[in-house]
Amino acid sequence: MIVSNISERFDRETAHLPMAFAEPHWYVAYTCANHEKRVTQQLLERSVEHFLPLHDSVRRWNDRRVQLQLPLFPGYVFVYMALRDRLKILQVPGVARLVGFRRPAVRAARS
């Protein structure tokens, strides 16, 4: 009952949004430090398409060498979603925010 009420309310609230919000695109999620792999695991469990490019790195300590797979872009995970589903991504533990951009402020012309 509660779930259906929430989904009905969500449908009413998002009905006025432009169609661009319904089309899926690639976005970038900024994660907490060193949480990229945990975030991708959570996204996988929630059936959200994502991409985390990794590269191999060899780390040396006094007694051993370890080959690690590290994120190519530390702190970022690529997510394929519709913008209206951004709350689903922001609720993932370890996701700080979605990366965006602001339009440049319009400056008043000096006379």
Side-chain angles (χ1 to χ4, degrees), residues 9-110:
R9 192 174 110 206
F10 179 76
D11 290 339
R12 283 193 311 259
E13 291 174 355
T14 59
H16 69 282
L17 295 175
M19 284 302 292
F21 282 73
E23 297 175 16
H25 296 284
W26 284 101
Y27 295 95
V28 179
Y30 181 71
T31 66
C32 297
N34 301 318
H35 279 70
E36 299 90 352
K37 291 182 182 179
R38 290 185 201 123
V39 167
T40 57
Q41 183 62 37
Q42 288 288 322
L43 293 171
L44 185 64
E45 291 174 8
R46 296 169 191 232
S47 301
V48 175
E49 189 173 350
H50 61 279
F51 178 61
L52 176 64
L54 301 172
H55 69 92
D56 293 327
S57 176
V58 176
R59 301 293 167 105
R60 294 181 196 164
W61 284 274
N62 289 337
D63 58 339
R64 65 186 186 278
R65 289 175 46 176
V66 178
Q67 186 168 358
L68 301 172
Q69 285 195 319
L70 300 175
L72 188 60
F73 305 107
Y76 298 98
V77 175
F78 298 91
V79 182
Y80 189 70
M81 62 168 196
L83 194 56
R84 69 175 180 208
D85 298 329
R86 66 185 174 277
L87 184 59
K88 184 178 181 182
I89 305 304
L90 293 173
Q91 291 175 336
V92 172
V95 173
R97 66 179 185 269
L98 290 175
V99 176
F101 59 91
R102 294 184 185 200
R103 294 183 196 156
V106 177
R107 297 183 182 183
R110 295 181 183 175

Side-chain angles (χ1 to χ4, degrees), residues 1-12:
M1 298 283 185
I2 294 174
V3 173
S4 66
N5 289 340
I6 292 172
S7 65
E8 288 172 10
R9 192 174 110 206
F10 179 76
D11 290 339
R12 283 193 311 259

